[in-house]
Amino acid sequence: MKGLIPPETVKELDKYIVGQNDAKRSVAIALRNRWRRQQVPEHLRDEIAPKNIIMIGPTGVGKTEIARRLASLANSPFLKIEASKFTEVGYVGRDVESMIRDLCELAVNMVRGEEQAMVITRASEIAEEKILDILLPGDRVQELPAEGTGEVEVHLERSEKESKSATREKLRRLLREGRLDDRFVDLEVSDRSYPMIEIFSSAGMEEMDINLREMLGGMMPRRTKRRKVKVPEALELLTQEEAQRLIDMDKVIKLAVDRVEHSGIIFLDEIDKIASRETTKGPDVSREGVQRDLLPIVEGSTVNTKYGMVRTDHILFIASGAFHASKPSDLIPELQGRFPIRVELDALGKEEFVRILKEPENALTVQYEALMATEGIDLVFQEDAVDEVAQIAHDVNSRTENIGARRLHTVMEKLLDEVSFNAHGLEGQQIVITRQYVRDKLQDIVKDEDLSRYIL
């Protein structure tokens, strides 16, 4: 885990997310506390629980993006899941423990990728030798009967050996220069296909999948199939296969489970949808039942996964919700207590929209300029045009449903609809987006409130 100090974390988040300083400070402190926990004496380490966070704010203000960027900064396994997907154990739906199994799967893939990157050079060297063996079959031998015996002695002249070695090096040079790229070779590759098996169950049967494919693979002999492929593809296939062989999967699983337990982040979106409302009578399997099942996971328990038992005591949970029809206090008291940090995110206005369109490294204007550049078009957004787009997005949000920064996507897509459609025929041109252009394209839609509800 990177030892970023909170101001550095906030600075990194600022590159992609506009405003929401309170939320950035909270997650930055939570990330730093994880690093601090690793430095304390071992007898205290298990006692320090993560301070889980609830982000409260309307849709489209950056809740998910903050959590996703934080996980990227910390190189942590990250899972985003909607709380409304789950139901109480015993009913049709997903079991809350499945989120831990999904997080483990992501962590194993992450660590496997890191390990592959470390052995890829060696794997590519082995793959190159195998390609040369295919292109230049084994040494030709001269078989001569030995005097006085019925045995066959194998003799290979030194000059022929040297000639073979020179030919091999010449082929290696041609291979590296790409001059053999159009040649086809016959390659034996592992057949990874398995019989199709479907499991029909009521609920909580995801664990039936645990090691099912591995079990089938163990019972059936390893099969290979012959493919005719070009040299570059053969080189890539062999490199991947050799990289898999060079990786110690036991080590990968151990590292992945450790990373899940100590630096995993789960983003529970739409948590307000499982808050019970006062009007609800009787048990609600998709609300209070889910909260009760969620409680032990958040408090800290042990979950059975196909990679072994995983403890959830130190996984950081970041929950979020708009809380329009309910309040955080509508959650069951025990669950509220496991989310001690509550942060309210601000609704976005015109000023924030202008900044979102211009400032982040992945700003929408930058994205569209890059997309049009692929067609040879120089797309230019004038300052007053950006201001007008922000104003229109703000106006539409005010009059219809407020979907935050997501409104910018709908407005920009409608604005550049004609350019995107005809881009293939505009190569070499510069297209300047002005305030007047924005008004011409969008003003009629904005004025007609019924139409804007459908189009923007």
Side-chain angles (χ1 to χ4, degrees):
M1 186 189 300
K2 298 177 183 176
L4 286 174
I5 60 174
E8 288 176 343
T9 303
V10 171
K11 188 177 178 183
E12 288 296 317
L13 293 173
D14 282 340
K15 292 179 181 177
Y16 301 97
I17 301 135
V18 168
Q20 314 304 359
N21 292 323
D22 289 345
K24 289 175 185 172
R25 283 172 63 92
S26 296
V27 297
I29 293 168
L31 184 63
R32 186 63 174 177
N33 279 340
R34 289 194 141 185
W35 178 85
R36 289 167 181 154
R37 178 180 162 270
Q38 297 297 327
Q39 316 307 313
V40 302
E42 198 167 338
H43 69 279
L44 270 177
R45 203 173 293 165
D46 284 343
E47 305 299 324
I48 300 172
K51 306 301 182 285
N52 299 321
I53 301 165
I54 287 187
M55 294 184 186
I56 304 160
T59 184
V61 296
K63 300 188 294 292
T64 306
E65 193 65 13
I66 287 172
R68 184 178 285 120
R69 296 290 174 186
L70 182 78
S72 177
L73 279 175
N75 195 28
S76 299
F78 173 77
L79 177 72
K80 176 188 180 290
I81 196 88
E82 280 76 33
S84 53
K85 280 187 176 179
F86 301 114
T87 58
E88 190 176 351
V89 171
Y91 293 88
V92 175
R94 295 198 71 188
D95 176 11
V96 293
E97 288 188 352
S98 66
M99 71 172 81
I100 306 299
R101 290 191 277 271
D102 292 345
L103 189 64
C104 284
E105 200 67 50
L106 288 167
V108 167
N109 290 337
M110 179 189 286
V111 176
R112 187 195 287 127
E114 292 169 4
E115 292 291 315
Q116 274 190 349
M118 291 169 65
V119 300
I120 201 72
T121 305
R122 175 70 184 136
S124 61
E125 289 170 1
I126 297 171
E128 186 181 83
E129 293 299 329
K130 287 195 170 185
I131 288 289
L132 292 174
D133 288 341
I134 295 169
L135 292 170
L136 192 66
D139 296 332
R140 288 197 314 272
V141 298
Q142 184 181 5
E143 297 183 350
L144 299 171
E147 291 181 12
T149 68
E151 296 177 2
V152 175
E153 276 189 276
V154 177
H155 297 281
L156 182 65
E157 297 295 334
R158 181 175 296 173
S159 59
E160 191 177 344
K161 257 188 181 177
E162 289 171 355
S163 169
K164 198 79 172 173
S165 176
T167 307
R168 190 178 181 90
E169 289 308 309
K170 184 181 177 183
L171 268 175
R172 190 190 306 277
R173 191 174 67 252
L174 293 172
L175 179 64
R176 289 177 178 176
E177 289 172 359
R179 290 161 69 180
L180 302 177
D181 286 0
D182 291 331
R183 286 189 62 172
F184 283 89
V185 293
D186 285 328
L187 196 65
E188 291 243 349
V189 293
S190 300
D191 187 2
R192 295 171 188 253
S193 61
Y194 294 97
M196 179 66 73
I197 294 180
E198 291 189 30
I199 298 172
F200 298 93
S201 64
S202 57
M205 296 296 283
E206 288 104 337
E207 54 266 29
M208 288 283 288
D209 183 49
I210 294 175
N211 282 331
L212 190 59
R213 292 202 168 209
E214 287 85 345
M215 286 164 58
L216 285 172
M219 287 188 288
M220 296 177 184
R222 182 174 173 272
R223 294 188 303 172
T224 59
K225 58 182 178 181
R226 202 163 191 81
R227 289 179 58 189
K228 188 178 279 292
V229 293
K230 285 192 175 181
V231 167
E233 189 184 347
L235 203 55
E236 189 178 337
L237 286 168
L238 287 172
T239 301
Q240 291 301 320
E241 205 165 277
E242 291 304 321
Q244 286 290 345
R245 288 198 185 120
L246 291 170
I247 289 171
D248 180 358
M249 277 309 292
D250 290 336
K251 178 188 171 188
V252 166
I253 290 168
K254 186 175 180 296
L255 287 172
V257 170
D258 186 69
R259 195 175 290 186
V260 166
E261 291 184 336
H262 297 290
S263 61
I265 297 175
I266 291 182
F267 183 72
L268 271 172
D269 204 5
E270 310 288 358
I271 199 167
D272 55 319
K273 304 297 187 295
I274 63 166
S276 53
R277 295 158 192 164
E278 294 172 5
T279 54
T280 305
K281 292 180 181 179
D284 190 337
V285 298
S286 61
R287 290 193 184 138
E288 276 196 27
V290 176
Q291 290 184 60
R292 285 193 296 270
D293 287 348
L294 202 54
L295 186 59
I297 303 287
V298 180
E299 279 186 336
S301 61
T302 304
V303 176
N304 185 24
T305 74
K306 72 180 188 179
Y307 302 111
M309 306 302 279
V310 176
R311 291 177 60 198
T312 67
D313 302 65
H314 300 288
I315 292 175
L316 177 65
F317 288 87
I318 302 176
S320 82
F323 288 98
H324 290 313
S326 57
K327 309 178 290 296
S329 57
D330 290 334
L331 296 167
I332 60 174
E334 297 88 343
L335 195 59
Q336 289 181 52
R338 298 305 297 178
F339 287 91
I341 302 172
R342 296 181 187 181
V343 187
E344 191 165 351
L345 283 83
D346 305 318
L348 302 175
K350 180 193 167 184
E351 291 76 16
E352 288 78 20
F353 286 163
V354 170
R355 291 180 61 198
I356 288 168
L357 286 167
K358 295 194 301 183
E359 291 180 14
E361 290 187 4
N362 61 339
L364 271 179
T365 51
V366 174
Q367 291 179 30
Y368 278 102
E369 285 166 1
L371 284 172
M372 291 303 107
T374 62
E375 302 269 11
I377 298 170
D378 181 17
L379 189 66
V380 179
F381 288 89
Q382 290 189 348
E383 292 286 330
D384 56 355
V386 170
D387 190 77
E388 188 68 20
V389 169
Q391 183 64 56
I392 288 172
H394 175 66
D395 291 346
V396 175
N397 270 348
S398 302
R399 293 206 312 270
T400 61
E401 290 76 15
N402 186 355
I403 60 171
R406 292 190 177 94
R407 185 69 68 187
L408 291 172
H409 289 270
T410 60
V411 171
M412 289 287 285
E413 200 60 35
K414 189 63 186 173
L415 173 68
L416 297 171
D417 176 74
E418 191 175 326
V419 175
S420 296
F421 188 80
N422 298 311
H424 60 281
L426 303 172
E427 188 176 348
Q429 295 186 32
Q430 183 184 67
I431 297 175
V432 180
I433 307 298
T434 63
R435 184 190 291 272
Q436 192 56 47
Y437 183 92
V438 175
R439 285 177 175 170
D440 291 345
K441 290 289 178 187
L442 301 175
Q443 211 62 45
D444 291 341
I445 299 171
V446 172
K447 283 177 183 173
D448 188 336
E449 191 167 328
D450 289 334
L451 197 58
S452 65
R453 283 180 184 274
Y454 286 97
I455 295 177
L456 297 177

